[in-house]
Amino acid sequence: VIERMPDGRPARILATSTDISRQKEIERQLQATLDQRARLERDLVQANERLRRLADIDGLTALPNRRMFDRALKLVFRRARSAGHAVALVMIDIDYFKPFNDLYGHLTGDRLLVEVASRLSGFFSPRPSIFLARLGGDEFAYVVRDAKDDGALLAEGEAVASLLHAPFILPEATVQISASVGIAVYP
């Protein structure tokens, strides 16, 4: 206000104006770029998490793989040593898998491994104290945290062998296999 009327109301006003539409467009573009970057970073974090999970999972059976099993085993043993608990390591090996694979082909061998994994997962599913994994080929293993009874472990190992001895109905054939089960207990 550069001049007022006798009653105090403004009589003349001097003003300047500046067109800031270009600045506002740049700010809008910058915000859009920042939003896009945040989305891309979020997508990258999610992709890295998926990749990390895939690196720990066996692609054929969807069980944890040897890499994840080794990490879990170290952790379980560390906790068992500090808490004074027993831990059992149980190894499962399908007997004569190579001749089976040679006779029926790799696709059928893979189907059999998927079915073995499914049976084992179903057998152990309600028990959080069991960590089951496919180590590779026809080898599976599981760890029993806080193992208490050697007799129960032996009975469980025999139950696993019996579970795998029951016929598998595959598209190519109905087959019966056997498996060797070994148990080691710490301490």
Side-chain angles (χ1 to χ4, degrees), residues 69 73 76-77 80 85-91 129-131 141-150 153 156 182-187:
F69 183 78
L73 190 61
V76 167
F77 272 101
H85 294 150
V87 174
L89 170 62
V90 182
M91 304 290 292
S129 64
I130 301 287
F131 184 83
Y142 64 94
V143 177
V144 181
R145 295 183 285 271
D146 199 18
K148 291 186 170 96
D149 182 359
D150 290 347
L153 287 169
E156 182 176 77
I183 303 169
V185 179
Y186 170 85

Side-chain angles (χ1 to χ4, degrees), residues 14-155:
L14 179 64
T16 55
S17 71
T18 304
D19 182 6
I20 61 169
S21 55
R22 175 146 167 73
Q23 180 181 343
K24 286 297 184 183
E25 177 59 22
I26 290 171
E27 288 174 1
R28 188 196 62 73
Q29 289 175 357
L30 178 60
Q31 188 60 50
T33 301
L34 292 173
D35 292 345
Q36 181 182 21
R37 179 180 175 169
R39 279 191 308 276
L40 289 172
E41 285 176 354
R42 218 175 19 255
D43 291 348
L44 182 60
V45 167
Q46 290 172 349
N48 280 332
E49 179 59 26
R50 281 193 306 274
L51 186 59
R52 188 195 61 74
R53 281 195 308 271
L54 286 173
D56 288 340
I57 300 297
D58 176 57
L60 180 65
T61 64
L63 288 176
N65 62 17
R66 179 177 209 118
R67 181 173 174 248
M68 187 174 187
F69 183 78
D70 289 345
R71 283 197 324 265
L73 190 61
K74 285 178 186 174
L75 180 65
V76 167
F77 272 101
R78 190 177 319 126
R79 288 180 179 166
R81 274 193 298 269
S82 67
H85 294 150
V87 174
L89 170 62
V90 182
M91 304 290 292
I92 304 164
D93 186 75
I94 299 172
D95 297 331
Y96 310 108
F97 184 73
K98 183 176 177 356
F100 176 91
N101 231 7
D102 292 342
L103 178 65
Y104 290 102
H106 293 283
L107 182 60
T108 303
D110 286 352
R111 285 187 181 126
L112 177 65
L113 292 172
V114 168
E115 290 302 314
V116 166
S118 177
R119 279 192 192 177
L120 292 172
S121 293
F123 184 76
F124 294 119
S125 68
R127 296 178 50 196
S129 64
I130 301 287
F131 184 83
L132 171 67
R134 177 178 177 216
L135 299 185
D138 61 329
E139 296 175 344
F140 296 82
Y142 64 94
V143 177
V144 181
R145 295 183 285 271
D146 199 18
K148 291 186 170 96
D149 182 359
D150 290 347
L153 287 169
L154 185 58

